[in-house]
Amino acid sequence: MDFTILFNSRGRVRLLKEMLSSIEQTAFNLDDIEVLVNFDTDDYESLQNLPAIKEQFPFMKEFINPRELNIHINVNKMAFKAKGKYIWALGDDCHIQTAHWDKIAKSKFEEYFMHYPDRVAMGAVESTSVDKNVEHMWYTDAPILTKEGRDALGFLIHPHFISLGADVATYLIYHKINRIIDMKDISFDHVTHNTLQKVVNPDRTAAEYRQRQNKVQRIDPWNHDYSADIERIKRQLT
């Protein structure tokens, strides 16, 4: 298996179907891609629709877990069950836009590993829905980590951050150790958080996540001290 795409989904059946359809339509080799989706046990809307979703998109595998305050706990659990060599953290409100993205990404990873055989790296793709005037902003969503990169870091999405924005941390850590692979020719649209169109939190699920984050999370991912994470990865580099 080449790729694992994983994310949480809650109460957004239409968006989930659109996301899965974008994977199906853009993949070069769907047989080498698995999609892992976590649903909350109290998400009755999604669970009621789950049989039909699985029938339409048989490449999706569901995980059903109790709801967590930190929405990334179940994502990290899935990351360590991933069969893919490359693990892509996305969202149920994303649309992949680039045709044959899997072929492009695999080629870039393999070329990179000719120089870095330890395979510890992150692929940084482009979000087309953010302001390009903010330095690195388009890279910080949706990291693609190798299995080795996941193991060296100990997680896919940083556990210190309760809700939205935690994927920024993964980028910043790998940027510090110079193990970022530029994949900005692979793009996706974060449709419910489009800063260019000023579309932010248009649905109740995203609004709830944002409210929970503002109440609980007091750590700024852009200014957090990642020295312990960086040193832990450096010990795995060759």
Side-chain angles (χ1 to χ4, degrees):
M1 186 71 65
D2 285 332
F3 288 89
T4 297
I5 295 174
L6 46 80
F7 50 87
N8 289 307
S9 186
R10 180 179 175 86
R12 303 200 285 198
V13 172
R14 178 184 61 81
L15 287 172
L16 173 61
K17 288 181 177 181
E18 291 175 2
M19 167 53 173
L20 294 170
S21 179
S22 81
I23 296 171
E24 186 175 51
Q25 292 172 8
T26 58
F28 176 73
N29 186 0
L30 194 60
D31 291 337
D32 271 331
I33 299 168
E34 66 172 357
V35 181
L36 309 182
V37 183
N38 180 76
F39 299 94
D40 297 330
T41 53
D42 63 345
D43 179 11
Y44 306 115
E45 177 186 354
S46 295
L47 296 180
Q48 183 178 10
N49 285 275
L50 190 54
I53 296 171
K54 291 177 62 178
E55 182 177 0
Q56 184 177 358
F57 303 102
F59 53 86
M60 186 199 81
K61 180 178 180 181
E62 80 278 8
F63 291 82
I64 302 173
N65 289 291
R67 192 177 188 189
E68 297 281 359
L69 176 62
N70 185 328
I71 65 173
H72 305 302
I73 288 176
N74 288 322
V75 168
N76 283 324
K77 287 180 180 177
M78 289 191 293
F80 281 92
K81 296 179 180 179
K83 296 179 181 178
K85 299 175 185 176
Y86 314 109
I87 307 168
W88 193 0
L90 275 169
D92 64 354
D93 55 348
C94 295
H95 293 170
I96 300 176
Q97 297 175 314
T98 304
H100 298 173
W101 59 267
D102 48 329
K103 183 178 181 181
I104 297 168
K106 183 178 179 180
S107 175
K108 287 180 177 289
F109 274 118
E110 290 179 347
E111 181 181 0
Y112 190 84
F113 297 146
M114 293 175 64
H115 306 283
Y116 300 96
D118 55 38
R119 298 178 61 88
V120 175
M122 173 191 150
V125 300
E126 179 176 12
S127 171
T128 60
S129 52
V130 298
D131 187 349
K132 301 300 188 297
N133 293 318
V134 180
E135 185 180 7
H136 299 314
M137 189 66 186
W138 60 95
Y139 281 139
T140 56
D141 282 346
I144 308 178
L145 279 189
T146 61
K147 272 191 172 182
E148 295 81 1
R150 172 207 63 190
D151 292 343
L153 187 56
F155 50 80
L156 182 66
I157 303 296
H158 207 298
H160 284 335
F161 305 101
I162 298 298
S163 187
L164 306 176
D167 43 6
V168 172
T170 306
Y171 170 82
L172 293 174
I173 291 167
Y174 273 87
H175 186 263
K176 286 286 187 181
I177 63 170
N178 295 317
R179 288 298 184 94
I180 294 289
I181 304 174
D182 187 333
M183 296 187 180
K184 65 182 178 182
D185 47 352
I186 298 173
S187 64
F188 71 96
D189 182 13
H190 196 169
V191 295
T192 68
H193 195 75
N194 191 317
T195 61
L196 298 180
Q197 299 178 16
K198 307 303 180 186
V199 178
V200 180
N201 303 336
D203 65 281
R204 58 184 174 81
T205 297
E208 180 183 350
Y209 283 162
R210 182 70 65 182
Q211 184 179 36
R212 290 163 69 197
Q213 172 184 290
N214 291 340
K215 285 184 177 180
V216 180
Q217 181 169 301
R218 294 292 181 264
I219 308 170
D220 177 5
W222 288 99
N223 297 299
H224 183 64
D225 179 7
Y226 298 109
S227 56
D229 301 305
I230 292 167
E231 290 305 312
R232 186 169 62 254
I233 296 179
K234 284 183 175 180
R235 290 195 292 268
Q236 309 298 319
L237 303 181
T238 58

